[in-house]
Amino acid sequence: MSHVSSPRPMTARAGSALQGRIRVPGDKSVSHRALMFGALAVGRTTVRGLLESEDVLNTAGAMRAVGARIERSAEGVYAIDGAGLGSLLEPEHVIDFGNAGTGVRLTMGILGTHPIAATFVGDASLSRRPMGRVLDPLRQMGTSVIARSGDRLPLSIRGPEVALPLTYRVPMPSAQVKSAVLLAGLNAPGETTVVEPVATRDHTEKMLAGFGADISVTLDDAGARVIRLKGQPELKPQDIDVPGDPSSAAFPIVAALIVPGSDVTVENVLLNEHRTGLIATLLEMGAEIEILNERSAGGERVGDIRARSSRLKGVTVPAERAPSMIDEYPVLAVAAAFAQGDTHMPGLEELRVKESDRLAAVARGLEANGVPCREGEAELTVTGGAGRIGGGTVATHLDHRIAMSFLVLGLAGERPVTVDDGAVIATSFPTFTSLFAGLGADIADREGLTA
Ligand code: S3P
């Protein structure tokens, strides 16, 4: 399911304070993996709290195409009858991943070591994104690839009869690349090892262990994570409760900090240590944020996050923190626009290859709304508290997080902010406008509808 609906401009304007307790939808990374690992297990996996967004529903479609039965019984509740590792069927049709980088890259890993052929397509955004980072290690494991030059979608792969296990050092901080190699290693005899010099989100490692895979993580002398996986395990079905997505919670949290008089609590948010870089940064900026009701659920730390309007100050974000807040830089830049002084964000190479070139998209969006900023090759500096914010229209480039970030900017600006396409938000956070309306926010499309 590509994002084919026509662009839907949306406008956010300042109004009342934001108040309330909300729950954001399930974590996107965990939701993709729950469907994939359920499809590889033998037996029935149940999932509660699955994120029902376009990206994740595309992964459900892909897993059905290779033989899993996936049924929805209530909102966010799914039963997956696995096709079984090693027994995946060849898909009859092209698999359309729409906007979903995680979906397509992890699925390439899974299918790349099965002796079947598959063709992947995506929307204009996904078709521009680099796939060589996943295809290179897959080729070393025996996968054949037919791609147009530059290893971009559309492309086809065929897995070998027997794949080769691999030892692979991930060249960029990417959980998707790490995960694709590990998932390919599942159907290779012997041990696949991934060396990760810079730690990234570890949902694949944790969830594979939960499904019964023999996987271990150690640190080498240089501090790199060494992940060893024994191939061809029998994966056992699981019952999974998906906690709220911290990358979605980031929007109401930042909105509460910058809209005067606000007090918002987001309940049941995933607090995995590789996902909490934004909270650490906001606290350093002086944010009034509390983590309440912290607990462990399904092997992950979760909690409620309360955010109140705060006087923020600019900071330098350590470059090494980037992997733990990689999807949150656009909304951090929005918080920085309301902070006193400069916020400097180095180490942003990977932002150039997200759903859009996010570094450029953020810089252009800030400039269009009167926020001074400096864009470097891999860094951004935002000068806060200068001048009248708002009044511009932001090009979203099919990027859901650009759309949501700039709508948040509009909630605290002196003038409204318009994004050229709010429909892209359905990629990851379909309830965004209705949840914000419930908090008292003024976000509407051209017809004045809030959802
Ligand atoms: C994800 C990894 C990150 C992140 C994406 C989800 C995942 O991508 O930006 O939204 O679920 O593994 P990279 O691996 O490209 O950093």
Side-chain angles (χ1 to χ4, degrees):
M1 181 169 60
S2 280
H3 172 72
V4 287
S5 50
S6 44
R8 186 175 160 202
M10 297 191 88
T11 300
R13 40 177 59 82
S16 52
L18 305 180
Q19 305 273 350
R21 298 178 75 83
I22 55 170
R23 282 188 177 224
V24 294
D27 186 67
K28 181 152 77 72
S29 294
V30 173
S31 295
H32 280 299
R33 288 161 173 82
L35 291 169
M36 291 173 183
F37 303 170
L40 294 175
V42 175
R44 174 168 285 200
T45 288
T46 56
V47 188
R48 293 194 155 65
L50 189 92
L51 167 63
E52 296 180 301
S53 74
E54 286 178 1
D55 270 17
V56 173
L57 296 178
N58 284 329
T59 288
M63 293 303 112
R64 286 191 182 105
V66 295
R69 284 191 48 191
I70 302 178
E71 270 166 27
R72 178 187 196 266
S73 55
E75 191 185 324
V77 184
Y78 286 75
I80 306 154
D81 292 311
L85 179 67
S87 305
L88 301 184
L89 305 178
E90 185 160 282
E92 286 177 12
H93 303 288
V94 164
I95 301 180
D96 186 349
F97 268 103
N99 196 254
T102 306
V104 75
R105 290 191 176 122
L106 271 55
T107 301
M108 282 180 191
I110 293 172
L111 303 197
T113 50
H114 280 76
I116 56 177
T119 298
F120 304 100
V121 299
D123 70 6
S125 156
L126 193 58
S127 304
R128 279 193 293 268
R129 298 181 68 185
M131 296 297 147
R133 50 180 55 200
V134 168
L135 297 174
D136 288 344
L138 286 179
R139 287 179 173 112
Q140 293 179 47
M141 299 176 90
T143 312
S144 316
V145 180
I146 305 171
R148 60 179 214 228
S149 61
D151 279 349
R152 291 190 157 63
L153 298 187
L155 61 81
S156 303
I157 62 173
R158 173 180 286 284
E161 283 304 322
V162 181
L164 300 167
L166 181 67
T167 294
Y168 192 69
R169 194 178 173 87
V170 185
M172 69 289 288
S174 168
Q176 292 177 2
V177 175
K178 163 178 70 178
S179 300
V181 178
L182 289 171
L183 296 181
L186 280 177
N187 203 36
E191 190 172 274
T192 287
T193 303
V194 176
V195 181
E196 189 182 40
V198 180
T200 62
R201 66 191 69 194
D202 59 356
H203 308 302
T204 297
E205 299 90 304
K206 280 188 166 162
M207 290 177 70
L208 279 181
F211 275 81
D214 187 344
I215 184 166
S216 69
V217 183
T218 53
L219 292 183
D220 70 11
D221 293 343
R225 293 175 84 238
V226 180
I227 307 152
R228 292 192 176 82
L229 172 79
K230 286 224 174 62
Q232 302 184 318
E234 184 172 318
L235 298 178
K236 298 182 184 59
Q238 297 296 298
D239 289 336
I240 299 172
D241 270 315
V242 184
D245 193 329
S247 299
S248 297
F251 300 106
I253 290 168
V254 168
L257 297 178
I258 62 177
V259 175
S262 299
D263 186 350
V264 170
T265 300
V266 188
E267 296 174 345
N268 195 41
V269 182
L270 174 68
L271 296 173
N272 176 297
E273 59 174 321
H274 300 288
R275 303 287 300 278
T276 49
L278 176 74
I279 299 296
T281 303
L282 292 171
L283 287 170
E284 287 169 8
M285 294 171 81
E288 286 197 49
I289 290 179
E290 287 171 88
I291 310 286
L292 305 162
N293 196 16
E294 210 174 316
R295 58 207 182 271
S296 168
E300 288 286 7
R301 210 161 62 93
V302 299
D304 304 339
I305 304 179
R306 180 179 186 193
R308 282 176 279 182
S309 329
S310 308
R311 290 171 71 85
L312 301 176
K313 60 176 194 304
V315 294
T316 292
V317 185
E320 59 275 16
R321 195 179 286 162
S324 67
M325 53 181 292
I326 193 65
D327 291 336
E328 282 69 78
Y329 281 99
V331 79
L332 174 65
V334 167
F338 293 91
Q340 279 307 313
D342 284 358
T343 296
H344 180 48
M345 304 167 226
L348 304 188
E349 297 77 358
E350 282 294 305
L351 281 201
R352 298 259 182 222
V353 289
K354 293 295 176 188
E355 286 82 332
S356 66
D357 174 347
R358 277 192 183 151
L359 198 37
V362 168
R364 297 298 85 72
L366 292 174
E367 285 161 7
N369 287 287
V371 180
C373 65
R374 271 196 318 282
E375 175 195 353
E377 198 36 50
E379 62 190 338
L380 180 69
T381 303
V382 179
T383 302
R388 276 160 62 79
I389 292 177
T393 296
V394 177
T396 51
H397 302 286
L398 290 177
D399 190 331
H400 51 126
R401 298 197 205 283
I402 297 298
M404 291 186 279
S405 298
F406 282 96
L407 289 171
V408 169
L409 183 84
L411 295 178
E414 282 159 288
R415 287 172 293 176
V417 173
T418 297
V419 298
D420 66 358
D421 187 12
V424 292
I425 293 170
T427 291
S428 68
F429 196 167
T431 53
F432 174 85
T433 42
S434 56
L435 279 180
F436 268 84
L439 293 173
D442 182 353
I443 299 177
D445 66 11
R446 221 173 245 154
E447 280 78 47
L449 301 172
T450 53

